Amino acid sequence: FGVVIGVNMLNAHYASSTFGGEVVENSYVASQDFNRWLDEAQAEKALGWSEVTTWRPDGRLVVALRNVPSGAAIKAVARHPLGAVPDRALTFDRLDNGQFLSREALPDGRWDVRLTVAAGGHIWRREEHLQ
């Protein structure tokens, strides 16, 4: 029984130390917005926009947009999937070839990057998983 209790305690420690346990602040409030989120996602998909994100060796991101009107602006937030590292806001500079380069570099590791593109009066969102 001592071995079983020890293994359970070890598993409980690892589970509580690697996951903050919060996906949304208030699940009831989030459930009230669910249908609106689905409608927004459908409208964003109908725009036909796409992007490719590349992680450069220097840690900065290059975002190439396709089918997006000129004058697009990009914002992004990089989140560590386990919540162990604080979120990082990313700002982008436009390159000559229609791509965008982040000013900030991300350290090595796994990151979820939430992109928001605004152009032509529309908002388009995308989440990229980088490793």
Side-chain angles (χ1 to χ4, degrees):
F1 287 110
V3 172
V4 171
I5 291 171
V7 169
N8 285 338
M9 295 294 284
L10 182 65
N11 285 337
H13 167 72
Y14 284 133
S16 63
S17 66
T18 60
F19 179 66
E22 184 177 297
V23 177
V24 294
E25 277 187 43
N26 185 324
S27 58
Y28 175 75
V29 172
S31 72
Q32 302 305 301
D33 291 328
F34 185 74
N35 287 335
R36 181 179 53 84
W37 293 339
L38 289 177
D39 293 340
E40 288 174 358
Q42 187 175 18
E44 290 171 9
K45 186 175 182 179
L47 291 172
W49 298 358
S50 65
E51 57 77 37
V52 174
T53 301
T54 307
W55 200 353
R56 293 182 5 164
D58 65 359
R60 298 192 305 167
L61 302 180
V62 175
V63 177
L65 299 176
R66 292 191 181 111
N67 302 322
V68 177
S70 62
I74 298 180
K75 293 183 202 174
V77 174
R79 302 178 66 189
H80 196 267
L82 298 178
V85 179
D87 295 353
R88 295 173 184 249
L90 301 174
T91 54
F92 291 85
D93 292 321
R94 184 184 310 269
L95 301 177
D96 291 337
N97 56 4
Q99 297 179 341
F100 295 82
L101 177 64
S102 68
R103 294 178 187 166
E104 301 80 15
L106 288 177
D108 289 337
R110 294 174 49 195
W111 293 95
D112 293 333
V113 178
R114 293 183 177 176
L115 295 167
T116 302
V117 178
H122 298 287
I123 302 290
W124 185 81
R125 295 171 189 88
R126 173 82 175 176
E127 185 164 326
E128 290 287 328
H129 305 287
L130 304 175
Q131 293 193 52

